[in-house]
Amino acid sequence: MLVLGIESSCDETAAAVVQDGRIMRSNVVSSQIDVHSRYGGIVPEIASRKHIEAIAPAVCQALEDAGVALGAIEGIAVTQGPGLVGSLLVGLSTAKAIAFARGIPFVGVNHLEGHVAAVLLEDRTPEFPFTALVVSGGHTSIYRVRDLGHFELLGQTRDDAAGEAFDKAAKLLDIGYPGGIVIDRLARAGNRDWLAFPRAMKDSLDFSFSGLKTSLLINLKKRGCPYSEGELPHVAASYQEAIVDVLVEKTLRAAGNSGLSRIVVCGGVAANSRLRERFREECDRCGFEIYIPRPALCTDNAAMIAVAGTYLLERGESGSLEMNAYSRLPAGMPA
Ligand code: KG4
Ligand code: ZN
């Protein structure tokens, strides 16, 4: 089955063609980072307008890269939520229009389920069930995943998401946007023990990252001046380690509790080099199998949406033209 995936939940306009939920024929991601970086964060109204400009070219490019005509597409998978509603509606309306014009089915996909489905595009894939950590700019959640339609929430953030913690720190340090990748790069040359940052909610599978950002702010205020160029890598490395520590520890604990040996880590923050390294080390040490998509499939893309959507289309699901987009949409639950 040839499926066109469309993703526009945040600041990437993405389209992809995936065959049989397994073979990535194309994966086009058009980023709005340059537009939003001058504001230090995403401006929803601007994001919607940019999606409108970019969506048709992205779909055309995805078809061209895949070497298929629109007439060969058998179904469309589109992100329905969670995300910015104005942005989601651009992708959803595009999917509806193409599906209506071509007389093919379309399905709404949960963005978080899409992140998990990305792992199925890799050569080495996990068998179900597994424990999954979805760690992105908007979410930090641990699930027991029975299959692509059945997610049981085991733990989640009570305040900021891990990606948000990276982005907010980068803003405080004035080192660029989005912060995750900047901190990842800086931290490579840094001393992880240079500053002591808190590890919150030790006894729970829930997370809290807002104290971490406050701790950095207090540190900065106490100093009364910005960190020097020489100090920044140490600050980045210490801060990153505090995030990585809790993500690894809680995910392994959740997997151990539920007796599952397979762990999937996905979402934008799963592109972080230190997080990938630590998960591999700890899983090796504790006897878990670890599966992390390549970095380009961790950050937002439409191929992952096509994979999750193929599962729904193959079950015979088909969305109606009345379908709406949702800013909040729990994984594993129909809208
Ligand atoms: O999944 P994603 O692309 O979009 C959402 O669904 O939110 O995740 C974006 C988040 C941002 O907070 C970004 O800073 C973070 O992922 N991120 C990273 C890295 N690359 C992206 N965080 C840490 N290290 C990275 N290398
Ligand atoms: Zn995402």
Side-chain angles (χ1 to χ4, degrees), residues 111 115 136-138 163 166-167 178-181 184 267-269 271-272 298-300:
H111 182 79
H115 271 306
S136 70
F166 275 109
D167 297 340
I181 194 146
D184 187 348
V269 178
N272 183 273
C298 286
T299 46
D300 284 352

Side-chain angles (χ1 to χ4, degrees), residues 70 95-104:
L70 185 56
K96 284 179 184 173
I98 301 174
F100 182 67
R102 303 295 321 172
I104 54 175

